[in-house]
Each structure stands twice: as C-alpha cells, then as structure tokens.
C-alpha cells in the first residue's frame, strides 16, 4: 500500500479541493480529476487511486442528491430501475478489476478523459439549476387532457421511452465506474436526456442520485479486498466534498464557458500523458 | 405518479443520505484530529468492520477514520433499504422488489468481494 506522509496527505487534500471545485463548476464528477492527480502527481498505484476516487464520488454525489431529492427533481423509480443494471455492472467490474493490468486501466481511463473532453465541448450550459420548472413523469398512455392538466398546474410532463437502452447504458456506466472509479454520469445523463425523453434537470438529478449506489457497489468490493488506503481516501473524500461546496458557490461568478474550454485542453493533455506512460 | 406517493418516498431517503454524510464526516474529522496527537497510530489499510468498531471505541484515530469511510460507503446502501421500506409502506411492491434486489446484489459484492 502507498505510504503517504502527512505532507503528502495534506497535499492530496488541497488537490482534492481543487478537483472538487472544478468538478462542480464544470459538471464533472470528482473521479475524472482526482485519479489523474493521484496517479500522476502523487504516484499512487492506480487501483488505490480508483478506490479513493469511488469513496470521494460517494461523498459528493450523496451530498448533491440530498438537495435534488428534497426538491423532488429525482425520478426515484426510474433511478431504482436503472440501478439494477448499474449495480450488476459495478459488481462485475469490482470482481474482475484485480485481474486487469494497471496499464490497461490507465489506457481505458485515458479514453474516458478524451470522451469527457469531447462531451464538454458539445454540452450546453445550464440545465443543472434548481430553480424553474418542475417536472412530472406520465405513463405512455397519458391522454392530451391529462398532459394539459399537468401543464396548467405548473408541471412539465414527460414520458420515459427506450428503457432497454437506458438499462444497457447503465450497465456500461456501472462497469466503467467499478473499473475506473468514476461516477458514470457522463454516460447516464446523455442517454437519459437524448434517448429516454427525460428532461435535462431530471436526468442530472437522477444520475446524481444513482451514482452513490453505483460507486458503493464497487467500493464495497474494494473495501473487502483491502484496496482502500485511508491515508489517501480520507483527504480525497473530504477535499472533494469541500471543493464541491466551493464550486457551487462560484458557479455564478466565473465564466464557465471559458473554463470549460481551458479544461478540455487540460483533459486531452492529461489523457495523452497517461497513454504515453502506459505504453 | 401520485404526489402523496412521491412525498412519502423522498423525505426518508433525504434524511438517510444527510445522516450518513454527517456521521461519516464527524468520524473522519475526529480521526484526523486524533491522528494529529498520535500520528504513529495511523494505519494505511482498513480492517474488518468489527475490528474498526473496536478501534473506534478505543479512540484509535485509524478506527475513527476507517469507520468513517465505511459509513460513507454504507450510506447509499442504507438509502436503498430506506427506499425498499418506503415502497413497501405505500404498497408499491414492484419497486420494493427492485430495491430489495439491488440491496442483495450489493451485499453479495461485500461478502464475496474478497475472492
């Protein structure tokens, strides 16, 4: 196990604060930023970094989910249904990660960094605000009269479609979460919004709600296998948690579009670095 | 969805999530505080849950931190249990079984995850 000194643990904490802040500003999970920082700057073995990241992801997603649930943005039934698939994927990954070469994990993570960078360029701002419309799921057979009744009550109705596709995507997201220590939201949110008919705000809230269970399913396996190193995990989790709170406060004060463009460059550069080191 | 059902489910879930995060943060910060006084007692791995509970009672900083990590991981699990009970309360048996299956799958991972 990685033997961090007190100075290194403090360094990991501050790095995690920065990671959490940028994650909240840019709509990224902490894992995408925490893992490259731990492996490339602090030279933490990747599986310990993944374990620390999973716990950090649980901390931040759970904190955010509290707010989303209380404001009724989460479609809990949809989230629970998709969690069936994501939990199985996370378990599969958790059981098999011990057999997977660290280089392969690094290369896969690099691919995810590039995918995230491209996704950030495509993404429009907004959608995550907690103010504005309220939404209500309606059954596929809802009549026009029922839809109009919801609208006149101030609620935007939506119908969920393509559930099998959503389950398949959740399985993939769960597998990636277990293998790479990320939350999986970069897959779940676009699938829910673009293919399942879920409004963006509900998709973000429901994905956030699910991420805790996804990460916990793998984290339980990492815990029982002894991959969790408290010297790394504790400062990471607390740092990302604090950083996320700071990021939320700053989101209306910084030019997120400019920050996004800069961060895309950083992500691609980091991905190339990880590929070069893995090869 | 009926609004009454939605309110019945959301509240206990939010309470469980908030409680889990608060308890884990208290344990983690307490462990860090104690480790400042006894840095030699800090370990770089986690033991069994029973071992960490025992160490926490003995005011071992590693016990506090490791138990805090475990409580944080356990919070989403408790959320699933709360959801199962909530669905059972409103007699939504389909989603009671969905939540129960998720809980069983997570427990399989925990108890058989060490290979």
């Amino acid at each position: 196990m990685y033997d961090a000194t007190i100075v290194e643990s403090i360094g990991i904490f501050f790095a995690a604060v920065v990671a959490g802040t940028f994650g909240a500003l840019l709509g990224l999970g902490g894992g995408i930023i925490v893992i490259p920082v731990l492996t490339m700057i602090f030279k933490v073995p990747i599986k310990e970094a993944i374990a620390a990241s999973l716990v950090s992801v649980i901390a931040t997603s759970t904190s955010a989910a509290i707010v989303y649930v209380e404001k009724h943005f989460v479609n809990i039934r949809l989230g629970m249904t998709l969690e069936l698939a994501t939990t199985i994927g996370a378990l599969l990954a958790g059981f098999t990660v011990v057999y997977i070469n660290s280089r392969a994990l690094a290369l896969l993570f690099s691919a995810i960094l590039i995918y995230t960078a491209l996704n950030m360029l495509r993404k429009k701002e907004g959608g995550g605000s907690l103010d504005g419309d309220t939404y209500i799921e309606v059954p596929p057979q809802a009549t026009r009269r029922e839809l109009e009744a919801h609208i006149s009550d101030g609620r935007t109705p939506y119908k969920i479609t393509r559930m099998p596709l959503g389950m398949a995507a959740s399985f993939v997201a769960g597998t990636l979460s277990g293998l790479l220590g990320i939350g999986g939201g970069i897959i779940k949110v676009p699938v829910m919004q673009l293919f399942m008919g879920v409004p963006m705000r509900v998709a973000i809230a429901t994905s956030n709600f699910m991420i805790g269970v996804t990460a916990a399913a793998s984290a339980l396996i990492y815990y029982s296998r002894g991959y969790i190193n408290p010297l790394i995990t504790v400062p990471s989790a607390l740092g990302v948690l604090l950083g996320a709170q700071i990021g939320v406060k700053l989101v209306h004060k910084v030019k997120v579009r400019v920050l996004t463009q800069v961060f895309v460059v950083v992500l691609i550069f980091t991905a190339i670095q990880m590929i070069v080191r893995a090869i | 969805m009926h609004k009454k059902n939605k309110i019945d489910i959301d509240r206990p879930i939010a309470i469980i999530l908030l409680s889990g995060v608060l308890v884990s943060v208290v344990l983690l910060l307490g462990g860090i505080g104690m480790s400042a006084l006894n840095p030699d007692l800090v370990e770089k791995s986690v033991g069994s849950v029973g071992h960490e509970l025992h160490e926490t009672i003995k005011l071992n900083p590693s016990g506090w931190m490791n138990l805090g990590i475990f409580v944080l991981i356990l919070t989403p699990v408790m959320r699933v249990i709360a959801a199962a009970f909530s669905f059972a309360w409103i007699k939504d048996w389909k989603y009671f079984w969905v939540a129960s299956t998720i809980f069983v799958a997570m427990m399989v991972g925990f108890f058989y995850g060490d290979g």
Side-chain angles (χ1 to χ4, degrees), chain A residues 1-4 6 48 55-56 58-59 62-63 65-66 69-81 83-84 87-88 91 94-95 135-139 150 155 158 209-217 219-221 223-231 233-235 237-238 241, chain B residues 1 3 5-7 9-11 13-15 17-19 21 24-25 28-29 32 35 39 42-49 52 62 65-67 69-70 72-77 79-80 83-84 87 90 92 94-95 97-102 105-115:
Chain A
M1 299 293 275
Y2 182 80
D3 196 0
I6 292 175
E48 288 181 47
V55 176
S56 303
I58 292 171
T62 301
S63 301
I66 294 166
V69 169
E70 286 189 330
K71 289 187 178 284
H72 306 299
F73 277 115
V74 178
N75 187 328
I76 291 180
R77 285 174 173 80
L78 173 63
M80 301 292 301
T81 305
E83 273 174 7
L84 274 175
T87 302
I88 292 169
L91 284 180
F95 278 121
Y135 298 91
I136 184 164
E137 181 194 348
V138 296
H150 285 301
R155 294 189 298 264
Y158 66 94
F209 177 73
M210 292 163 57
I211 282 171
V213 167
T214 308
L220 286 169
I221 296 174
Y223 189 100
S224 61
R225 287 185 187 267
Y227 282 133
I228 292 184
N229 184 337
L231 298 176
T233 303
V234 173
L238 290 175
L241 201 53
Chain B
M1 279 185 289
K3 192 174 181 184
N5 290 349
K6 197 163 168 53
I7 292 173
I9 292 167
D10 290 357
R11 190 77 188 131
I13 289 174
I15 290 172
L17 292 175
L18 182 61
S19 303
V21 170
S24 67
V25 168
L28 292 173
L29 291 176
I32 288 171
S35 68
V42 178
E43 296 165 10
K44 56 184 179 184
S45 63
V46 294
S48 67
V49 178
E52 300 306 341
S62 271
M65 286 193 282
N66 293 346
L67 190 64
I69 292 171
F70 185 73
L72 195 53
I73 296 172
L74 203 63
T75 299
V77 181
R79 188 266 281 168
V80 172
F87 286 126
I90 61 173
D92 190 336
K94 175 184 171 186
Y95 286 96
W97 286 113
V98 168
S100 301
T101 305
I102 294 168
M106 295 175 91
M107 289 300 101
V108 165
F110 181 57
F111 288 108
Y112 294 98
D114 58 359

Side-chain angles (χ1 to χ4, degrees), chain A residues 4-72:
Chain A
T5 63
I6 292 175
V7 172
E8 284 170 333
S9 292
I10 293 171
I12 289 171
F13 172 75
F14 283 111
V17 170
V18 173
T21 304
F22 277 98
L25 283 171
L26 299 169
L28 294 175
I32 289 289
I33 305 171
V34 162
I35 290 175
V37 167
L38 288 177
T39 56
M40 295 175 69
I41 296 177
F42 294 95
K43 312 298 181 194
V44 174
I46 192 163
K47 288 177 186 172
E48 288 181 47
I50 289 169
S53 176
L54 284 170
V55 176
S56 303
V57 164
I58 292 171
T60 50
S61 70
T62 301
S63 301
I66 294 166
V67 179
Y68 285 128
V69 169
E70 286 189 330
K71 289 187 178 284
H72 306 299

Side-chain angles (χ1 to χ4, degrees), chain A residues 131-192:
Chain A
D131 299 318
D133 294 345
T134 57
Y135 298 91
I136 184 164
E137 181 194 348
V138 296
Q141 65 273 19
T143 64
R144 186 173 175 176
R145 190 174 172 181
E146 288 167 337
L147 295 176
E148 286 172 353
H150 285 301
I151 293 169
S152 63
D153 284 344
R155 294 189 298 264
T156 305
Y158 66 94
K159 297 178 185 178
I160 292 175
T161 59
R162 300 192 187 95
M163 185 62 84
L165 176 63
M167 299 282 281
S170 293
F171 175 79
V172 171
T175 306
L176 289 174
S177 175
L179 287 176
L180 303 175
I182 59 175
I186 54 172
I187 295 174
K188 294 175 200 169
V189 172
V191 167
M192 276 194 274

